[in-house]
């Protein structure tokens, strides 16, 4: 017998049972005094503060906590597991005519997925009948409650396995793997590799939907707030178009997955990729500047986007392009319109909530914007973040013909913030790092992970925050984005994609020592370990060829701009 501590109570259980068996015992009231909420399903656990799958065998005295699907970690595990079930269903439906399935990117509460002919790699037209057939297979697998097992195999055997399934992006990735073995998951004889943890069985994967969209389909998931329901999909066509353009360009450049970027590094082709990518971004910024300059009404350029999307560097580069067109841009940071610290709203935990729209002095901001619109001179504020006070240091501004305001802040697309300015005078831009780069065809790189890694490097360099502190704060940042930023992205006249295909290889050099400093036993260890494993797939890229006006320089340092 072993002693297991759950919720500060110690229970004796039989040595050698799995965490899943213990969960079932609790669920069946075989262990009194503990119960689970029916709001969400249990999908993972922590054993002595280490993240584990429910298949983990309990061998010694330990402390256990269970993780449900209404958490970021649990929801991500559910998504990966459901994706595995979808891939198995697709391979079964197309058994006689094998296809290549590629998880492209996230859209709303789902993954956008495309299917291609395995030989020509041309897109396959997917009918409603095919969608229904795949969906029925998935429902069948769910009802069968298939155990998802994991085995460790030599890299050479894994390569043969992936080639057999036409998973060639996985095979190519193994060329740069340092370890001699890898874990492969099995679902009723079908095997695949997934970065991260999976559910114990298909029985938990009840909540999903499959819909046809554009050239492919969308696999819809429940979100964290409603882990047992599938909401009506809110899919942004604008966001899809930006992703689609990025994917097409990445394919042309031969860099839409990590193994292809790695090949360019070792073959000394990475310099060209860096320079072409930077030139392409400059071209896009110039095109946006042309659109702004095309109308004399565009006096207020409003720039918003989530954390670490590169808004500041983008605004400076946009200002240069506008100046090249004969205009006079004036940058204004929305952060300078924060309310004084004593008036700042607090969150449910009583901490200052700097993400809330109420943290901005909306009335004062609108008053000054209308004064500028009417040709008056204003005294520009500066916010002292150390003392939490608004200050005036003598800087003034008056708008004349050819003058344009570039206003940057996370709330800039929220109409409440600029309520006094008529829409005809505003040009709205949403900036985000929408990377088309994926680990392989089935393992996507989330935009959230990319931004977290950017922020980690910047915070270490400029804000005295180590990796542990950045990870600790990230959940709150993401919660704020979900409420205050993402709902307004469709309001934008233009979406600018700040992601760079090569940047993860550059960030790796800065990140490794920081992530290794997070010790086992710390609450942030699992996330740090996950990110370490993630960047281990990439060959490091030197920052030698990166121009000093690059958005990436905002994070690694050396930018020509005051960022």
């Amino acid at each position: 017998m072993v002693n297991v501590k759950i919720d500060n109570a110690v229970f004796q259980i039989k040595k050698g049972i799995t965490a899943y068996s213990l969960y079932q015992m609790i669920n069946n009231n075989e262990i009194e005094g503990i119960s689970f909420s029916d709001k969400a399903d249990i999908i993972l656990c922590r054993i002595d503060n280490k993240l584990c799958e429910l298949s983990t065998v309990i061998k010694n005295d330990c402390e256990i906590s269970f993780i449900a699907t209404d958490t970021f970690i649990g929801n991500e595990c559910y998504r990966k597991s459901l994706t595995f079930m979808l891939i198995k269903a697709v391979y079964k439906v197309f058994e006689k005519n094998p296809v290549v399935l590629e998880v492209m990117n996230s859209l709303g509460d789902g993954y956008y997925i495309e299917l291609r002919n395995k030989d020509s790699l041309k897109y396959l037209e997917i009918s409603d009948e095919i969608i229904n057939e795949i969906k029925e297979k998935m429902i069948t697998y769910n009802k069968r409650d298939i155990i998802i097992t994991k085995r460790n195999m030599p890299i050479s055997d894994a390569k043969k396995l992936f080639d057999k399934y036409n998973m060639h992006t996985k095979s190519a990735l193994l060329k740069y793997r340092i370890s001699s073995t890898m874990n492969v998951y099995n679902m009723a004889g079908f095997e695949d590799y997934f970065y991260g943890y999976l559910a114990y069985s298909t029985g938990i994967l009840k909540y999903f939907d499959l819909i046809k969209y554009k050239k492919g389909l969308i696999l819809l998931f429940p979100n964290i707030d409603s882990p047992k329901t599938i909401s009506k999909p809110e899919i942004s066509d604008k966001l899809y178009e930006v992703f689609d353009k990025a994917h097409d360009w990445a394919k042309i450049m031969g860099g839409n997955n990590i193994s292809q970027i790695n090949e360019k590094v070792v073959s000394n082709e990475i310099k060209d990729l860096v320079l072409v990518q930077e030139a392409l971004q400059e071209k896009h910024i110039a095109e946006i500047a042309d659109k702004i300059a095309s109308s004399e009404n565009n006096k207020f350029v409003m720039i918003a986007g989530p954390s670490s999307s590169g808004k500041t560097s983008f605004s400076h580069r946009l200002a240069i392009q506008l100046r090249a067109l004969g205009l006079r841009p004036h940058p204004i940071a929305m952060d300078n319109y924060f309310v004084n610290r004593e008036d700042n709203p607090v969150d449910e935990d009583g901490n200052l909530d700097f993400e809330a729209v109420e943290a901005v002095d909306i009335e004062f901001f609108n008053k000054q914007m209308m004064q500028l619109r009417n040709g008056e001179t204003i005294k520009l504020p500066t916010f002292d973040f150390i003392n939490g006070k608004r200050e005036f240091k003598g800087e003034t501004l008056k708008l004349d013909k050819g003058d344009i305001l570039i206003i940057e802040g996370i709330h800039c697309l929220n109409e409440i913030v600029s309520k006094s300015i008529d829409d005809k005078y505003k040009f709205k831009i949403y900036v985000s790092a929408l990377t088309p780069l994926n680990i392989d065809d089935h393992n996507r790189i989330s935009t959230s992970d990319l931004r977290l890694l950017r922020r980690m490097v910047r915070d270490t360099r400029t804000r005295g925050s180590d990796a542990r502190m950045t990870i600790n704060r990230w959940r709150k940042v993401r919660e704020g984005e979900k409420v205050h930023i993402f709902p307004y992205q469709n309001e934008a006249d233009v979406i600018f994609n700040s992601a760079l295909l090569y940047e993860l290889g550059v960030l790796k050099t800065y990140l490794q020592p920081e992530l290794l400093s997070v010790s086992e036993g710390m609450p942030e260890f699992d996330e740090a370990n996950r990110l370490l494993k993630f960047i281990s797939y990439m060959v490091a890229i030197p920052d030698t060829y990166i121009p000093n006006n690059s958005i990436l320089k905002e994070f690694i340092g050396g930018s020509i701009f005051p960022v």
Side-chain angles (χ1 to χ4, degrees):
M1 303 291 284
V2 295
N3 294 316
V4 173
K5 185 179 180 182
I6 309 172
D7 293 339
N8 296 318
V10 178
F11 303 89
Q12 276 202 332
I13 61 170
K14 186 177 179 182
K15 184 177 182 179
I17 71 169
T18 63
Y20 180 77
S21 297
L22 175 59
Y23 158 66
Q24 290 288 67
M25 290 168 64
I26 297 170
N27 221 27
N28 295 333
N29 297 317
E30 294 175 40
I31 296 179
E32 295 182 0
I34 305 175
S35 62
F36 297 113
S37 167
D38 59 3
K39 178 190 172 185
D41 293 320
I42 299 298
I43 195 166
L44 292 170
C45 66
R46 289 187 189 277
I47 299 180
D48 290 335
N49 206 33
K50 182 180 180 181
L51 189 63
C52 298
E53 291 172 323
L54 293 179
S55 57
T56 304
V57 176
I58 301 170
K59 300 177 181 178
N60 303 298
D61 292 355
C62 60
E63 183 172 348
I64 294 182
S65 59
F66 291 92
I67 298 170
T69 52
D70 60 350
T71 64
F72 280 114
I73 294 173
N75 183 261
E76 186 65 21
C77 177
Y78 190 93
R79 288 178 173 227
K80 290 181 188 294
S81 306
L82 194 58
T83 302
F84 188 20
M85 194 166 79
L86 166 72
I87 294 167
K88 175 175 169 57
V90 168
Y91 270 70
K92 187 65 178 177
V93 169
F94 288 93
E95 194 170 22
K96 295 181 180 178
N97 299 291
V99 298
V100 173
L101 179 150
E102 185 174 0
V103 179
M104 305 296 287
N105 49 261
S106 61
L107 275 181
D109 287 325
Y111 290 162
Y112 172 65
I113 294 163
E114 292 179 349
L115 304 182
R116 297 186 181 85
N117 179 281
K118 84 172 181 70
D119 297 317
S120 67
L121 295 183
K122 290 183 178 179
Y123 298 113
L124 291 180
E125 289 293 330
I126 305 173
S127 65
D128 290 332
E129 289 75 19
I130 290 292
I131 293 283
N132 289 333
E133 190 175 353
I134 295 170
K135 190 173 177 179
E136 285 302 316
K137 289 285 182 190
M138 294 177 71
I139 292 171
T140 299
Y141 297 152
N142 164 248
K143 290 180 177 177
R144 284 173 56 189
D145 194 14
I146 302 166
I147 303 297
I148 299 174
T149 60
K150 181 170 65 176
R151 66 178 175 124
N152 189 263
M153 64 166 60
I155 292 293
S156 56
D157 291 348
K159 189 176 186 305
K160 292 175 185 176
L161 174 71
F162 297 144
D163 285 337
K164 168 189 166 186
Y165 285 124
N166 299 307
M167 299 176 185
H168 301 302
T169 57
K170 292 181 187 288
S171 299
L173 191 64
L174 298 182
K175 181 179 177 181
Y176 303 99
R177 190 176 174 91
I178 297 174
S179 174
S180 60
T181 64
M182 72 181 306
N183 290 322
V184 174
Y185 288 94
N186 186 304
M187 184 186 293
F190 180 77
E191 293 182 296
D192 201 350
Y193 168 76
F194 283 89
Y195 156 68
Y197 294 109
L198 296 192
Y200 178 80
S201 74
T202 60
I204 195 177
L205 308 175
K206 304 172 186 176
Y207 316 105
F208 69 90
D209 201 358
L210 212 57
I211 61 172
K212 182 175 171 58
Y213 183 76
K214 302 293 184 182
K215 295 181 287 187
L217 54 92
I218 294 180
L219 176 61
L220 293 169
F221 313 97
N223 61 42
I224 292 173
D225 299 324
S226 303
K228 290 189 175 184
T229 58
I230 299 294
S231 305
K232 183 180 178 181
E234 295 181 6
I235 299 165
S236 168
D237 289 341
K238 286 183 181 179
L239 215 55
Y240 164 79
E241 289 166 6
V242 175
F243 267 124
D244 189 51
K245 187 175 182 180
H247 281 295
D248 286 346
W249 187 85
K251 283 181 170 61
I252 291 170
M253 291 298 296
N256 65 316
N257 58 63
I258 286 178
S259 64
Q260 291 179 334
I261 300 296
N262 287 343
E263 285 289 344
K264 291 189 179 296
V265 179
V266 299
S267 62
N268 294 317
E269 297 176 51
I270 196 63
K271 176 183 176 181
D272 288 344
L273 179 65
V274 170
L275 295 178
V276 173
Q277 173 91 91
E278 292 289 347
L280 183 69
Q281 279 203 346
E282 194 64 37
K283 181 174 180 287
H284 288 170
I285 294 170
E287 290 169 352
I288 293 171
D290 287 339
K291 288 182 180 179
I292 294 168
S294 66
S295 172
E296 291 187 358
N297 281 338
N298 291 327
K299 289 292 185 182
F300 300 85
V301 177
M302 313 294 289
I303 302 172
S307 174
S308 303
S309 56
K311 298 184 293 296
T312 306
S313 291
F314 168 79
S315 63
H316 283 292
R317 288 172 68 171
L318 178 63
I320 289 171
Q321 291 293 340
L322 290 170
R323 288 172 64 186
L325 295 172
L327 300 173
R328 290 185 300 277
H330 301 277
I332 288 183
M334 185 72 77
D335 286 0
N336 286 326
Y337 287 87
F338 273 156
V339 297
N340 289 334
R341 191 69 44 82
E342 63 266 21
D343 300 319
N344 203 95
V346 296
D347 60 20
E348 66 276 8
D349 299 322
N351 299 315
L352 292 171
D353 187 356
F354 298 113
E355 311 292 327
V357 70
E358 293 81 10
V360 178
D361 190 337
I362 295 173
E363 298 305 321
F364 179 62
F365 174 77
N366 278 272
K367 177 184 176 182
Q368 288 213 320
M369 294 306 105
M370 288 311 297
Q371 287 174 323
L372 288 171
R373 179 76 190 91
N374 295 331
E376 299 175 35
T377 300
I378 66 166
K379 294 179 180 179
L380 286 170
T382 300
F383 194 81
D384 183 341
F385 284 91
I386 296 176
N387 297 314
K389 297 285 186 183
R390 183 188 303 151
E391 298 177 341
F392 296 90
K393 297 183 177 181
E395 187 178 0
T396 61
L397 180 63
K398 181 178 183 296
L399 291 187
D400 296 316
K401 185 176 176 60
D403 286 347
I404 289 181
L405 287 182
I406 298 181
I407 306 168
E408 177 251 310
I410 64 172
H411 298 295
C412 275
L413 298 189
N414 187 335
E415 287 301 313
I416 293 174
V417 171
S418 57
K419 59 185 178 180
S420 63
I421 308 171
D422 194 303
D423 254 8
K424 70 180 180 180
Y425 298 119
K426 291 186 279 191
F427 189 90
K428 294 172 279 190
I429 303 171
Y430 181 77
V431 180
S432 192
L434 307 172
T435 180
L437 187 69
N438 284 326
I439 296 175
D440 57 48
D441 283 347
H442 301 163
N443 289 274
R444 56 180 285 276
I445 296 173
S446 76
T447 60
S448 174
D449 276 351
L450 176 59
R451 292 187 293 106
L452 170 58
L453 296 175
R454 282 180 170 186
R455 179 164 172 155
M456 198 175 292
V457 172
R458 184 196 64 194
D459 285 2
T460 300
R461 182 177 61 83
T462 66
R463 302 185 181 182
S465 298
D466 58 17
R468 183 189 61 80
M469 294 168 68
T470 304
I471 290 170
N472 181 269
R473 294 169 182 156
W474 191 242
R475 180 182 65 85
K476 280 288 186 185
V477 171
R478 289 188 66 187
E479 288 174 353
E481 292 169 349
K482 186 177 178 182
V483 175
H484 302 298
I485 300 174
F486 297 149
Y488 304 102
Q489 60 191 11
N490 283 333
E491 301 297 320
D493 297 300
V494 169
I495 295 177
F496 177 76
N497 185 1
S498 70
L500 297 154
L501 288 174
Y502 69 85
E503 68 179 283
L504 284 169
V506 176
L507 291 172
K508 175 179 180 175
T509 305
Y510 297 85
L511 287 163
Q512 271 187 323
E514 284 302 313
L515 290 168
L516 286 169
S517 71
V518 183
S519 305
E520 191 168 0
M522 290 180 175
E524 299 81 15
F525 175 76
D526 288 329
E527 180 68 350
N529 200 42
R530 180 185 74 85
L531 293 170
L532 264 175
K533 185 177 180 182
F534 168 44
I535 63 174
S536 73
Y537 292 107
M538 288 163 280
V539 175
I541 297 173
D543 57 13
T544 313
Y545 312 117
I546 305 173
N548 57 11
N549 69 340
S550 172
I551 283 172
L552 187 56
K553 289 282 190 174
E554 180 176 331
F555 304 97
I556 66 174
S559 176
I560 197 172
F561 303 121
V563 294

